[in-house]
């Protein structure tokens, strides 16, 4: 389908006709990044309160899954549409959709409405991160881009920590609805600044929109995310319906690949997969996402069940992890901008992360919490040298007109890796825990149906010790396997080449 658009600049992604006010523009972009990152964490604190008001405990996981599903589906679409129609208008549409979804979430009167509005919010949220990073690619040449993307990495790490804290304060002193309403003034400010300082040239260009490819991709991602998020939780791994969902997703993926070979302007040009750096960035991002999100998910649980921390205390105890990410993201970004080389940082970063995962695999019920802080700081330092650098390397490896696709693809692979990691490591943890409990506990012993800290702490003393011993063994298995997965990422980083960073 041909579409004529009057707002496209002649080269790529909406590059500005005249230099924008960079400090003001980047303040707005950092605010957009903060909104995107906060919304992934701030909601978790309010979920028990929401269920207490609405009921519908069986639908609780969909409050998170609906956002994850819709935001992941649109990631590659935002990247492509930004390349086609200009980054400014696409980012503005994403912000408006996100704010509209946020307001409607706050107005929801039952669990079904909240889930549907979270999906709408995700349609906008999926574009905030991707288009923001692509705008950086338009405004700043690769040789100088590292220090700016380091700042974005720092903001993302900060939001991961303060999200649960802000959510807890809003729920405690106001209402859970304010975790959504708070997006409105921040988003409107960012929208106004971007509209005022980020200018695009006007040029009429006709484009072919690959709607069929977009449909295939949306269906494939929907099925894959449903399979990974629902398997082992809502649906048993032995459920035939679950595997039918995966099969349908694989068939849709095949249809997407076939369609991309025929499309005039494909969503993800298959030629990019002949680019060694692009492919390696995607694989490393996928593996790092899988290892990180699949294993770090269990840290708050360990702190609450084994160390007796409250949920807010557990969030605070993750500060060393996020502090490490912030420090190494900012420092590595500045060094890359100065030296023009990036290959060393993913190698050192994955090695640090591998060492940290190995050390986390030695945790016991008696490990001092200060020792855990050191391990988390090392993990954060390693991850900060990898995540944003992979996006920079992917952007630098493609033609300027494909910056949006490169950015969205790198983000997409990491998101899918994280989703699969949570499912896989969750299944491993549950299986090892049940196996060890069966070996340790006397027959007929009554155990809590959930892994909540309060339920575990109410067990009889002897039974509680056996449970905690089995729990510690399951944690060991998770981090040992996560270390093995990270070792694969470390091996792949050696295949990266230092492609000179472009100066324009």
């Amino acid at each position: 389908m041909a579409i004529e658009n009057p707002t496209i600049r002649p080269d790529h992604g909406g590059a500005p006709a005249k230099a924008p006010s960079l400090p003001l523009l980047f303040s707005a972009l950092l605010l957009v990044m903060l909104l995107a990152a906060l919304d992934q964490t701030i909601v978790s604190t309010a979920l028990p309160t929401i269920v207490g008001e609405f009921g519908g405990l069986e639908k609780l996981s969909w409050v998170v899954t609906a956002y994850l599903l819709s935001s992941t589906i649109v990631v590659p679409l935002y990247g492509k549409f930004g390349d086609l129609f200009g980054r400014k208008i696409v980012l503005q549409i994403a912000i408006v959709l996100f704010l509209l979804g946020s307001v409607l979430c706050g107005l929801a009167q039952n669990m079904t409405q909240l889930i549907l509005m979270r999906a709408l919010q995700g349609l906008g949220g999926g574009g905030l991160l991707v288009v923001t990073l692509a705008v950086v690619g338009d405004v700043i040449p690769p040789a100088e881009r590292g220090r700016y993307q380091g700042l974005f990495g720092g903001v993302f790490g900060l939001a991961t920590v303060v999200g649960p804290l802000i959510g807890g304060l809003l729920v405690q002193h106001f209402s859970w609805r304010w975790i959504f309403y708070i997006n409105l003034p921040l988003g409107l400010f960012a929208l106004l600044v971007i509209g005022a300082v980020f200018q695009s040239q006007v040029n009429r260009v006709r484009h072919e929109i690959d709607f069929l490819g977009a449909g295939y991709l949306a269906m494939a991602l929907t099925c894959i995310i449903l399979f990974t998020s629902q398997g082992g939780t809502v649906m048993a791994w032995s459920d035939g319906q679950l595997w039918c969902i995966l099969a349908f997703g694989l068939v849709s993926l095949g249809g997407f690949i076939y369609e991309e070979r025929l499309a005039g302007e494909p969503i993800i040009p298959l030629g990019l997969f002949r680019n060694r750096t692009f492919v390696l960035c995607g694989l490393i991002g996928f593996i790092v996402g899988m290892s990180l999100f699949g294993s770090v998910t269990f840290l708050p649980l360990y702190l609450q069940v084994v160390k007796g921390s409250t949920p807010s205390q557990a969030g605070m105890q993750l500060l060393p992890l996020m502090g490490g990410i912030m420090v190494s993201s900012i420092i590595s970004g500045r060094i890359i901008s100065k030296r023009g080389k990036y290959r060393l940082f993913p190698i050192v970063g994955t090695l640090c992360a591998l060492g940290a995962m190995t050390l986390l695999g030695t945790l016991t019920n008696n490990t001092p919490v200060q020792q855990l802080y050191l391990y988390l700081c090392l993990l954060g330092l390693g991850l900060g040298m990898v995540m944003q650098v992979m996006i920079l390397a992917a952007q630098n490896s493609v033609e300027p007109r494909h910056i949006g696709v490169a950015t969205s693809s790198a983000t997409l692979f990491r998101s899918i890796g994280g989703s699969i990691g949570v499912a896989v490591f969750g299944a491993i943890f549950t299986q090892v825990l049940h196996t060890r409990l069966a070996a340790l506990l006397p027959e007929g012993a009554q155990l809590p149906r959930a892994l909540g800290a309060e339920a575990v702490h109410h067990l009889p003393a002897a039974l509680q010790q056996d449970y905690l011993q089995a729990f510690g063994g399951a944690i060991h298995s998770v981090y040992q396997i996560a270390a093995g997965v990270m070792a694969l990422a470390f091996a792949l980083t050696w295949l990266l080449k230092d492609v000179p960073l472009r100066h324009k």
Side-chain angles (χ1 to χ4, degrees):
M1 177 179 178
I3 293 184
E4 187 172 295
N5 188 284
T7 61
I8 308 301
R9 79 287 176 251
D11 48 350
H12 66 281
K18 56 183 179 180
S21 173
L22 284 182
L24 193 56
L25 175 60
F26 275 98
S27 297
L29 294 178
L30 286 170
L31 187 56
V32 171
M33 172 71 78
L34 182 64
L35 287 174
L38 277 177
D39 211 69
Q40 297 180 15
T41 58
I42 196 172
V43 176
S44 60
T45 311
L47 290 178
T49 305
I50 294 172
V51 172
E53 180 175 332
F54 288 158
L57 180 62
E58 70 283 356
K59 298 179 180 179
L60 178 63
S61 64
W62 279 100
V63 177
V64 177
T65 302
Y67 184 89
L68 172 68
L69 190 60
S70 61
S71 61
T72 304
I73 286 172
V74 297
V75 160
L77 302 182
Y78 273 111
K80 184 62 179 180
F81 290 158
D83 286 340
L84 293 179
F85 303 118
R87 229 71 74 188
K88 178 180 178 179
I89 184 64
V90 174
L91 181 57
Q92 288 174 322
I93 290 173
I95 295 174
V96 169
L97 277 176
F98 179 79
L99 295 181
L100 177 62
S102 297
V103 172
L104 293 176
C105 282
L107 296 174
Q109 298 301 308
N110 55 56
M111 190 66 83
T112 300
Q113 289 181 11
L114 179 60
I115 291 170
L116 292 175
M117 295 308 103
R118 280 285 285 169
L120 174 62
Q121 189 187 28
L123 292 179
L128 298 183
L129 174 63
V130 171
V131 183
T132 296
L133 291 175
V135 168
V136 178
D138 287 337
V139 177
I140 302 298
E144 302 175 20
R145 197 178 300 156
R147 59 193 176 114
Y148 291 97
Q149 291 193 331
L151 291 173
F152 285 114
V155 168
F156 193 87
L158 176 65
T160 306
V161 175
V162 302
L165 299 178
I166 294 175
L169 290 174
L170 291 174
V171 171
Q172 182 177 349
H173 297 288
F174 298 96
S175 163
W176 65 263
R177 299 178 187 275
W178 278 97
I179 65 175
F180 299 110
Y181 293 151
I182 196 175
N183 293 329
L184 196 58
L186 300 178
L188 287 175
F189 174 77
L191 190 65
L192 291 173
V193 173
I194 289 170
V197 304
F198 187 31
Q199 303 299 323
S200 298
Q201 288 182 340
V202 176
N203 186 46
R204 292 186 178 274
V205 178
R206 293 181 63 84
H207 291 289
E208 296 287 335
I209 304 300
D210 183 18
F211 287 114
L212 186 57
Y216 275 128
L217 181 61
M219 185 59 66
L221 292 176
T222 298
C223 293
I224 291 171
I225 291 175
L226 284 175
F227 176 80
T228 56
S229 62
Q230 304 297 297
T233 53
V234 178
M235 304 171 69
W237 289 112
S238 58
D239 193 328
Q241 185 179 353
L242 182 68
W243 292 97
C244 285
I245 291 174
L246 177 61
F248 193 70
L250 295 177
V251 170
S252 300
L253 182 60
F256 171 72
I257 294 173
Y258 178 77
E259 170 62 22
E260 296 305 273
R261 296 177 59 187
L262 304 177
E265 295 193 31
I267 300 295
I268 302 179
L270 297 184
L272 292 179
F273 291 95
R274 293 192 291 269
N275 183 318
R276 173 175 171 167
T277 301
F278 176 83
V279 172
L280 284 173
C281 288
L283 286 174
I284 294 169
F286 176 88
I287 294 169
V288 169
M290 182 178 179
S291 181
L292 170 64
F293 294 108
S295 58
V296 173
T297 301
F298 297 96
L299 284 174
L301 191 60
Y302 168 84
L303 290 167
Q304 293 177 57
V305 171
V306 176
K307 298 301 182 182
S309 301
T310 64
S312 59
Q313 288 173 339
M316 289 294 294
Q317 287 167 332
L318 295 180
L319 280 172
L321 171 65
M322 302 313 162
I325 291 177
M326 289 179 63
V327 169
S328 61
S329 291
I330 294 172
I331 293 177
S332 63
R334 289 185 175 275
I335 294 175
I336 289 171
S337 293
K338 185 176 181 179
R339 297 180 66 245
K341 296 181 179 180
Y342 56 80
R343 178 174 178 263
L344 178 64
F345 292 98
I347 294 174
V348 175
T350 51
L351 180 61
C352 290
L354 171 58
M357 291 290 187
T358 303
L359 291 171
L360 287 170
T362 66
L363 290 176
T364 67
N365 295 348
N366 298 319
T367 300
V369 70
Q370 292 80 5
Q371 193 171 327
L372 174 63
Y373 295 160
L374 292 176
Y375 299 165
L376 292 179
C377 184
L378 178 62
L379 179 60
L381 290 172
L383 293 173
M385 288 186 273
V386 179
M387 294 192 292
Q388 295 301 317
V389 177
M390 287 298 95
I391 293 177
L392 171 63
Q395 290 176 337
N396 185 63
S397 69
V398 302
E399 298 177 22
R401 62 192 178 95
H402 289 318
I403 281 180
V405 171
T407 306
S408 63
S409 297
T411 305
L412 176 66
F413 291 138
R414 190 171 68 196
S415 297
I416 295 176
S419 177
I420 292 175
V422 170
V424 170
F425 285 109
I428 292 170
F429 179 85
T430 303
Q431 181 62 40
V432 173
L433 179 62
H434 288 169
T435 301
R436 288 178 175 268
L437 286 174
L440 286 172
L441 298 179
E443 186 176 352
Q446 295 295 318
L447 290 172
R449 298 180 62 185
L451 289 174
E454 185 176 353
V456 174
H457 294 155
H458 280 85
L459 290 172
L463 197 58
Q464 183 183 118
Q465 289 304 312
D466 286 338
Y467 189 94
L468 292 178
Q469 183 179 345
F471 186 94
I475 286 285
H476 285 172
S477 298
V478 165
Y479 284 107
Q480 288 165 1
I481 296 175
V485 173
M486 189 63 73
L488 178 58
F490 174 65
L492 288 174
T493 58
W494 286 94
L495 300 177
L496 282 170
K497 293 183 178 180
D498 249 331
V499 179
L501 295 177
R502 295 192 303 268
H503 290 273
K504 61 179 181 178

